[in-house]
Amino acid sequence: MSEAKRLAAEKAIDYVEDGMIVGVGTGSTVAYFIDALARIRDRIQGAVSSSEQSTQRLRQHGIDVLDLNATGPLALYVDGADECDPHKRLIKGGGAALTREKIIAEASERFVCIIDPSKRVDVLGRFPLPIEVIPMARSLVARRIVALTDGQPVWREGVVTDNGNWILDVHNLRITDPVALEAQLNQIPGVVSVGLFARRPADVVIVGGEPPQILD
Ligand code: 5RP
């Protein structure tokens, strides 16, 4: 699958225009994108990064990492996903970077999602849904999730997000109305963000292959 990830990432370079500040996601597919972006680094102003991991890789390549508060809205955000449905709605957060990813997606005019073919599903939920929680609310949020859904929340023990929070992964969901579930879970006190990108889905999905498939 890593070759498919690389092919998707390379194709996403077509969406980068001269002078842009590029929003950059997190994960192994995005790592290929950062490597490809490095080849055209003189053509862009810099990047806004969704994680410490991506920031480190961007800086290693000599790409300036800018603060979203200083840049204002972005024209382009490129990120991977753990699952993608036919409406370009996503599950994200396998790499625990969902909150900053969601912020950058919201700030961006165009969200280009880069995936390998294994990430495509008809109905979201096969991949456990990540939820970032304030540590003291972990048990409360887990109990509310059990009451509200058919899913089983599991604490991703030992993982602390870049924001100092914890992750619950909700297993065995079949998400038939992702927009409603996203809104419902967002209401639980202690939830920082939900790894469902349904209210703000991807605009373009690039599925890596020879040739890459574009869903827009
Ligand atoms: C990180 C993410 C990633 O985009 C997602 O986990 C996909 O990762 P990869 O490209 O390594 O398969 O949401 O929080």
Side-chain angles (χ1 to χ4, degrees):
M1 280 307 157
S2 65
E3 183 56 7
K5 289 181 179 194
R6 190 186 65 76
L7 290 167
E10 296 275 341
K11 185 70 185 163
I13 292 292
D14 291 357
Y15 293 82
V16 179
E17 292 173 16
D18 288 358
M20 265 185 175
I21 297 169
V22 183
V24 173
T26 298
S28 56
T29 317
V30 165
Y32 287 116
F33 176 70
I34 295 172
D35 295 349
L37 200 58
R39 297 201 298 268
I40 58 160
R41 66 168 171 259
D42 295 338
R43 284 177 37 204
I44 61 168
Q45 276 190 63
V48 171
S49 170
S50 62
S51 63
E52 301 303 326
Q53 182 191 315
S54 290
T55 296
Q56 202 182 353
R57 199 176 187 97
L58 285 158
R59 290 204 170 123
Q60 276 166 359
H61 281 304
I63 298 171
D64 277 349
V65 177
L66 307 169
D67 176 0
L68 184 65
N69 290 308
T71 63
L74 303 177
L76 177 67
Y77 178 49
V78 178
D79 196 0
D82 300 300
E83 270 187 2
C84 173
D85 82 1
H87 303 282
K88 294 174 275 191
R89 300 175 299 199
L90 313 169
I91 286 183
K92 291 185 46 54
L98 61 156
T99 299
R100 297 188 190 187
E101 292 173 341
K102 218 165 198 185
I103 292 167
I104 305 180
E106 185 72 19
S108 300
E109 202 175 307
R110 189 183 231 180
F111 174 7
V112 174
C113 182
I114 49 179
I115 56 170
D116 68 64
S118 72
K119 307 286 182 70
R120 294 182 76 179
V121 294
D122 288 329
V123 178
L124 296 171
R126 192 178 61 197
F127 189 92
L129 175 66
I131 300 184
E132 180 165 350
V133 296
I134 299 288
M136 73 169 285
R138 173 178 60 84
S139 300
L140 166 76
V141 173
R143 288 195 299 275
R144 290 292 179 272
I145 290 169
V146 168
L148 282 169
T149 73
D150 293 333
Q152 288 91 47
V154 176
W155 178 23
R156 205 185 293 178
E157 275 195 78
V159 172
V160 178
T161 70
D162 288 347
N163 313 306
N165 297 316
W166 292 351
I167 300 284
L168 290 172
D169 293 304
V170 188
H171 293 250
N172 299 321
L173 288 172
R174 193 168 186 282
I175 306 172
T176 49
D177 189 346
V179 175
L181 185 64
E182 183 180 0
Q184 202 176 19
L185 295 175
N186 270 324
Q187 297 298 321
I188 305 171
V191 167
V192 176
S193 63
V194 176
L196 265 175
F197 286 55
R199 189 187 61 77
R200 200 276 180 253
D203 300 302
V204 177
V205 176
I206 304 176
V207 187
E210 291 269 25
Q213 194 182 347
I214 314 280
L215 318 174
D216 60 7

